[in-house]
Amino acid sequence: MMMMDDEMENGRSVYQDRPRTFPAVRSKAYSPLIFRILRQINPRVLAILLLVVFGGVFYVGARTSPIVVFVFTICIISFCFSVYLTKWVLAKDEGPPEMSQISDAIRDGAEGFFRTQYGTISKMAFVLALVILSIYLFRTSTPQQEAAGIGRLSSAFITVAAFLLGALCSGIAGYVGMWVSVRANVRVSSAARRSAREALQVAVRAGGFSAIVVVGMAVFGVAILYATFYYWLEVDSPGSMRVTDLPLLLVGYGFGASFVALFAQLGGGIYTKAADVGADLVGKVEQGIPEDDPRNPAVIADLVGDNVGDCAARGADLFESIAAEIISAMILGGTMAQKCKIDDPSGFILFPLVVHSFDLVVSSVGILSIRGTRDPGTLGAIEDPMNILQKGYSVTIVLAVLTFGVSTRWLLYTEQAPSAWLNFALCGLVGIITAYAFVWISKYYTDYKHEPVKTLALASSTGHGTNIIAGVALGLESTALPVLVISVAIVSAFWLGHTSGLMDESGNPTGGLFGTAVATMGMLSTAAYVLTMDMFGPIADNAGGIVEMSQQPESVREITDVLDAVGNTTKATTKGFAIGSAALASFLLFSAYMDEVSSFARVPFEQVDIAVPEVFVGGLLGSMLIFVFSAWACSAVGKTAQEVVKEVRRQFIERPGIMEYKEKPDYSRCVAIVASASLREMIKPGALAIISPIIIGFIFRILGNITNQPLLGAKVVASMLMFATVSGILMALFLNTAGGAWDNAKKYIETGALGGKGSDCHKAAVTGDTVGDPFKDTAGPSLHVLIKMLATITLVMAPVFL
């Protein structure tokens, strides 16, 4: 054994001399049906078909508005740019054969799970589509729809089509995130053998491809839906629907995106953290072997989880964030334009699409600003990758401020209030500053260069219990600054919009809510670059795993460790960014819900009185929903992790040769256990989130009819939505930050501080990291989606509550 230890220290091992054939989790790589069909079509025929499709899209766009044509053009250019990034990344070599074998096993596992997971989600989506269709066939119509001649049947099919399109696009966004990560990880590992800066650049560009496609699809999908409805319904023609009422038809798209994102985040989050916890508890704590050690039977499942939990799920998450924000802002823009009698309201309605089109442009520039270097190995010794990423973010923010000002002057200028556009530009600036503040706050609480994580690491030196206490305290404290920032942002943006000079017929200021919507757009105006930083994290994590499993020299692992630690921070900052945008977007969706109830009920619905007992109960139920959902999500990780722990222990006991590199672990068994358990466990919390608002609204509607309170169901749901949003924001901030801090406290100790790897302090930090795993990667991110999904489902199901 001493000789073996010496060999391992020198970067060699007995295991390295053995055949390195990692068992494929699937015998055949998976590719979605639509891609298989496209590959079989002759390239020339495919090119002609694409030209015809794009020609039709641009024709419909031209019949709608020149602004829509501009949006289509930017989106298509961005898709071409993403193709360039893909070719650039895939042109990099995959390294030696042992790296490729590990990468293939990860890819097969990720694609196999994706196929099963999204097959389950698709079936649930079709069932829900039938439910929506049934509800809309028996509901009452709004006065605007009656005036436009849109009957119940048309309205039902419009909503269902929008829902299914949103679900489809969200699923594609998730697939794109996973597709690139499972191909880029091995290329980052290979690049790390040559240059740290090259490895960083490959990871960033791979993440950039996914981010550009996700944001581009969100914008393109809403724009196509808007233009199609505008053309098909002959909007603004005599006797037809007015353009200011059109955005309400898009709410199904946001609900479809949220529905898929919720289950993608739940299933992927349970998968990745159950595998991670199982691998850490037995591997690090019980056996004392390093992270991603090839002797650990759960290591492939852990690496697969990074792709399905962080990349695929986060792609779907950000997609639905942007879609929900765009639709809510379009609804509020149309409502305000109608109240102010603005002659051409299309600028106020289409403004969100233009802002996110510019986001694609400025984020692309930010991605390209991160370049390689001729100096190999400089990153680990001299450059901090976080500083490099921050420089790219700074470039993106400066350009975002400029393009936002141009957008407001172009689209929000009106003769009725000539200086209103300037107020709205300032609202956008408030949103951009808020985004930067959220990124900085998250970085402060989760990066081990700052005091909070160092203090948490120091608490580990006195035991497991003190580590847990310090981590919980840090997470609770970390909710204060973000809430203060959100509060200032909402009040500032509302005040700027309120004083913009836009008045309704009675002379009352009406721009307040739209000002808040513009601030939300400002916050998300750099979403593509922020998502790039997020995708960078799991790709770097996977790269480190491949380096460790293929027994590369220690210098290579040092580079990937640096990138991995930064990736933990960027993932935490993205989650902070996501919850901040969710808070602002939910405020907008809440206002849109009240407007929609007013339209259906044909009476004003402007406030919710929580002094009414039933309404207060609705708020309590909303808060309870957040806590029960979080509990079930964490419990799902715990149950699945227990199965993994038992399996890993069994293999170590029954195959003692594993620890001496004489026997190969059964990786596929752990992958199968985690995949089946995570799919089973995601159903309960997901169903709770979808069914709760519908049941509560329906029950209190009946109670309202009995007690002669016609709007009681709608009011109780509004209260539930309000309290759930507030509770969800605080809970998500706590879970995300505590989990990220625990993870980086462990990483800080692994750099050699406080005894380094294998010390008692390190073991206590591993325990904290294990507790934080379901916090930061399952329950926390799922709450981002849950908050927005509750808002979109109430918008779609509003007729049930009246």
Side-chain angles (χ1 to χ4, degrees), residues 17 35 109 195 259 321 326 363 579:
D17 300 327
F35 291 107
S195 161
F259 175 83
S321 289
I326 288 174
S363 296
I579 196 59

Side-chain angles (χ1 to χ4, degrees), residues 83-312:
V83 171
Y84 159 75
L85 290 179
T86 311
K87 289 188 173 181
W88 188 90
V89 170
L90 295 182
K92 297 290 181 179
D93 69 285
E94 295 186 3
E98 58 265 25
M99 281 189 175
S100 301
Q101 288 163 2
I102 299 163
S103 175
D104 289 345
I106 295 169
R107 184 174 67 222
D108 288 347
E111 290 180 343
F113 177 73
F114 184 92
R115 179 182 188 181
T116 309
Q117 181 191 31
Y118 276 74
T120 304
I121 294 172
S122 300
K123 292 170 187 172
M124 292 190 292
F126 277 110
V127 171
L128 188 54
L130 292 175
V131 171
I132 295 171
L133 182 66
S134 304
I135 290 170
Y136 270 64
L137 285 175
F138 296 100
R139 67 161 202 170
T140 56
S141 300
T142 64
Q144 293 88 344
Q145 290 171 346
E146 289 176 359
I150 299 176
R152 291 180 182 179
L153 187 64
S154 299
S155 178
F157 279 108
I158 284 172
T159 305
V160 169
F163 170 80
L164 291 175
L165 180 63
L168 175 66
C169 290
S170 185
I172 293 173
Y175 180 75
V176 165
M178 182 272 300
W179 186 90
V180 69
S181 66
V182 295
R183 287 161 177 79
N185 51 16
V186 69
R187 291 169 170 83
V188 175
S189 303
S190 180
R193 298 180 306 143
R194 296 185 295 273
S195 161
R197 185 64 176 262
E198 183 186 348
L200 172 70
Q201 189 184 20
V202 174
V204 167
R205 291 198 170 188
F209 158 75
S210 179
I212 295 295
V213 171
V214 166
V215 177
M217 279 186 55
V219 177
F220 200 60
V222 175
I224 282 183
L225 208 58
Y226 177 89
T228 302
F229 289 161
Y230 188 98
Y231 179 72
W232 176 46
L233 299 173
E234 298 178 345
V235 172
D236 276 349
S237 301
S240 64
M241 176 178 277
R242 289 175 298 182
V243 70
T244 51
D245 299 321
L246 181 56
L248 271 174
L249 298 179
L250 307 178
V251 293
Y253 185 87
F255 180 35
S258 297
F259 175 83
V260 170
L262 179 67
F263 282 99
Q265 186 65 70
L266 272 173
I270 294 167
Y271 187 111
T272 181
K273 289 303 106 181
D276 194 0
V277 169
D280 283 355
L281 284 179
V282 184
K284 285 186 178 179
V285 177
E286 295 181 8
Q287 298 294 334
I289 57 178
E291 186 172 1
D292 300 325
D293 191 288
R295 292 170 291 180
N296 194 326
V299 69
I300 289 288
D302 184 12
L303 295 173
V304 169
D306 291 334
N307 298 289
V308 299
D310 288 330
C311 292

Side-chain angles (χ1 to χ4, degrees), residues 752-784:
L754 301 172
K757 292 183 181 180
S759 64
D760 289 339
C761 185
H762 180 239
K763 289 178 180 177
V766 170
T767 301
D769 178 36
T770 303
V771 174
D773 275 340
F775 281 26
K776 69 182 173 65
D777 287 324
T778 308
S782 297
L783 284 175
H784 309 166

Side-chain angles (χ1 to χ4, degrees), residues 310-364:
D310 288 330
C311 292
R314 197 74 71 253
D317 181 358
L318 262 293
F319 175 88
E320 70 93 24
S321 289
I322 294 165
E325 179 266 328
I326 288 174
I327 292 166
S328 60
M330 291 174 81
I331 291 170
L332 292 174
T335 302
M336 189 192 70
Q338 187 176 346
K339 288 179 179 176
C340 297
K341 303 293 183 185
I342 293 173
D343 295 331
D344 182 13
S346 59
F348 287 85
I349 295 170
L350 298 174
F351 179 67
L353 293 173
V354 172
V355 168
H356 286 293
S357 298
F358 278 124
D359 170 22
L360 293 167
V361 176
V362 300
S363 296
S364 298

Side-chain angles (χ1 to χ4, degrees), residues 389-468:
L389 293 172
Q390 288 279 28
K391 285 176 185 175
Y393 187 44
S394 300
V395 169
T396 306
I397 281 182
V398 170
L399 292 174
V401 170
L402 296 174
T403 55
F404 207 94
V406 170
S407 303
T408 49
R409 180 63 180 84
W410 173 25
L411 298 172
L412 303 184
Y413 178 82
T414 173
E415 294 291 344
Q416 291 173 237
S419 63
W421 72 271
L422 186 57
N423 279 46
F424 290 127
L426 293 174
C427 290
L429 186 61
V430 166
I432 292 170
I433 293 170
T434 302
Y436 190 83
F438 261 85
V439 169
W440 184 87
I441 292 166
S442 299
K443 181 175 177 288
Y444 173 74
Y445 277 108
T446 56
D447 193 335
Y448 61 62
K449 295 183 185 67
H450 301 292
E451 198 59 33
V453 174
K454 288 183 178 179
T455 304
L456 177 56
L458 187 62
S460 307
S461 62
T462 51
H464 301 252
T466 48
N467 171 279
I468 300 299

Side-chain angles (χ1 to χ4, degrees), residues 623-644:
S623 298
M624 179 205 70
L625 172 63
I626 296 299
F627 282 81
V628 174
F629 177 87
S630 302
W632 285 0
C634 291
S635 175
V637 174
K639 289 177 184 176
T640 309
Q642 286 173 26
E643 295 185 39
V644 179

